[in-house]
Amino acid sequence: MLRLLGVAVLLNLLLLVPLWLRFEAISTRWVALEALLIVALMVLLPAGRLGWLRPLLTLTVLVAVLAGLGDVATHLAFGRPLNLYLDVPLLRSVFHLLEGNLGTLAAWAVSLTALLMIGLGGWALNRGLRVGHQQSSGATVTLVAALLLVASTALMAAQWHHQRWLPIARAPAMDTLRFQGHQLVETRRAHRDFSARMSASPTQAAALPGLAGRDVLLVFVESYGESSVFDPRFAEVTLPRLEAMDERLQEAGLSVATGMLDAPIRGGQSWLAHASTLSGLHIDNSLWYRLMLASGRPTLVDDFRATGHRTLTVMPAITLAWPEGEAYGFDEIHAAADIDYAGPALNWVTMPDQFTLHHFEQRIRRPAEEPLFAQIALISSHAPWTPILPVLDDWDTIGDGSIFHRWEGAGIPPDELWQDLERVRDHYALSVDYSLEVSARWAADYLGDEALLILLGDHQAAPLIIGEEAGYGVPVHVISGDAALLEPFLARDFVPGMLPGSSKPTAGLDALRAWLYEDFGE
């Protein structure tokens, strides 16, 4: 009985931990019905029948627990449930994020520790099932086991039909595996629907003569979302910055219109926001992203090439092979290795935003003989949000970036900072403030009279930072020395200046491509 009780406690703990982490009301979730069912089977089945069933039960429980823990992590990072069909490929990105924040050695240590814990959990569970089984049991134990089997089966059947007869009981493994199965079916259906949407979209690039001869710059600010402007925890930093930007840009003779659009994601996967903006299709998962790239459908890259622009992207966070950039068809790809930066990496951030914009202006834009369409990703406001750099007043001092060595190792180390979420939130606000100030200074000094700059957030920060109740909106600032270019945006509920008029998004990022067609196309 003690062995059986030990197995029951172990199973119950393993199965309920994901629920306890995901939900605060632990007191309403004390019993995992699968634990009762498995223990009852151990008593009632003959020893010879349990040999093949034991590894199957162990595997099922481990898969359910891992999926449950993955669901917790996905909610905290992205504000959505785990989809095994789509999210398994992201494991590589998670490792590289750990590597950038903690270092290679620490990233491997964390990964190997997690694998070791999973292995030990599986071994302990399998051993518990083996030694906990009683070849012969008394009549009382057998009767209790039979009652447990009937009761747990009945309660699980009720929960399958969304009825809860015992409030403190859950069937976490059953619910998790059923949900993932449902996700698989829905994802396959969404695959077909998205393919149909792509078939209905334009198959040819469309020129934008209203923007011919002008540089058009699409600059994404990492993790710059509506919470930065409307959440009091961050707005006390961001709002004064936006007001100062407004004044600086006006003094430089630049006009601004600002609106709020919905990003397809929160917390990460910036490439989905980029893809939605470029393609004109709402793309919120990796499957749709791959389908869009493989389809050969035109994007803004093709549209601006048809307009006579040289197309390029500046992606300082790309440190590995990036076939997606080639699939877009950019004339030039400037990833981290293609940018002559002699300064240090700053945790995950390969180079500060001020250097990225300086490099673009001096090494790419000034020598260009054709109008440019450029997608630029600013990454200083990416986690872990340390160190926070000052903005250098003199652009000429930036040079090859060696000047940034003075901040190597500066700031609070990430592992120390992330022990206090309130301090993390403070650093998040300051990092967005840095990216916005750099952008404003660069635009005021270098944008010029004819260019069109669209400065926008790629997505909200992780729900762990901003709260799960936060939305998907991102500010979009349209900036130009030619005020006439802003009039179509003002007609679409954008407002003059850097401050959004409302926190309610008027459309998604995918609407931008269609708007450019309507307002500047043939």
Side-chain angles (χ1 to χ4, degrees), residues 95 97-114 415:
F95 176 80
L97 182 61
L98 287 174
E99 191 176 31
N101 287 338
L102 304 179
T104 301
L105 184 61
W108 276 108
V110 169
S111 303
L112 292 175
T113 299
D415 56 346

Side-chain angles (χ1 to χ4, degrees), residues 259-325:
M260 190 73 65
L261 298 181
D262 261 334
I265 34 77
R266 292 185 294 177
Q269 297 180 273
S270 303
W271 55 90
L272 301 181
H274 302 166
S276 296
T277 307
L278 292 175
S279 69
L281 297 167
H282 180 82
I283 300 173
D284 64 2
N285 62 77
S286 57
L287 175 62
W288 290 0
Y289 180 63
R290 295 194 299 269
L291 288 173
M292 185 275 292
L293 290 177
S295 71
R297 295 278 163 179
T299 68
L300 281 175
V301 178
D302 304 286
D303 300 333
F304 277 101
R305 184 181 297 109
T307 310
H309 289 69
R310 184 156 187 81
T311 64
L312 62 96
T313 184
V314 182
M315 303 292 284
I318 298 296
T319 58
L320 301 173
W322 193 46
E324 294 92 336

Side-chain angles (χ1 to χ4, degrees), residues 12 99 160 175 297 324 446:
N12 203 67
E99 191 176 31
W160 181 269
D175 290 344
R297 295 278 163 179
E324 294 92 336
Y446 297 114

Side-chain angles (χ1 to χ4, degrees), residues 194-214:
F194 185 74
S195 297
R197 278 200 295 150
M198 282 199 301
S199 298
S201 66
T203 57
Q204 300 293 326
L208 303 168
L211 296 173
R214 304 174 182 270

Side-chain angles (χ1 to χ4, degrees), residues 314-401:
V314 182
M315 303 292 284
I318 298 296
T319 58
L320 301 173
W322 193 46
E324 294 92 336
E326 297 178 6
Y328 277 121
F330 286 107
D331 295 318
E332 300 174 16
I333 296 174
H334 299 264
D338 307 307
I339 300 173
D340 295 328
Y341 174 61
L346 303 168
N347 296 311
W348 185 90
V349 176
T350 57
M351 61 195 71
D353 290 345
Q354 190 166 16
F355 178 82
T356 299
L357 290 173
H358 172 75
H359 176 87
F360 168 72
E361 185 65 35
Q362 301 299 322
R363 301 291 184 87
I364 300 174
R365 189 180 180 206
R366 285 194 177 183
E369 297 179 355
E370 305 164 274
L372 298 180
F373 169 68
Q375 173 191 262
I376 304 172
L378 301 183
I379 61 174
S380 289
S381 49
H382 191 288
W385 303 309
T386 181
I388 306 297
L389 299 188
V391 177
L392 304 180
D393 292 326
D394 187 353
W395 290 91
D396 292 334
T397 65
I398 295 174
D400 63 0

Side-chain angles (χ1 to χ4, degrees), residues 144-209:
V144 171
L147 291 175
L148 281 178
L149 180 64
V150 172
S152 59
T153 303
L155 289 170
M156 289 176 68
Q159 291 203 22
W160 181 269
H161 292 93
H162 307 289
Q163 299 177 24
R164 187 165 290 119
W165 294 347
L166 185 62
I168 64 170
R170 297 292 189 275
M174 179 186 73
D175 290 344
T176 295
L177 297 177
R178 179 173 69 165
F179 178 74
Q180 291 302 326
H182 176 73
Q183 290 268 81
L184 175 60
V185 173
E186 289 299 312
T187 301
R188 297 305 300 172
R189 182 180 295 116
H191 179 174
R192 295 192 297 270
D193 294 344
F194 185 74
S195 297
R197 278 200 295 150
M198 282 199 301
S199 298
S201 66
T203 57
Q204 300 293 326
L208 303 168

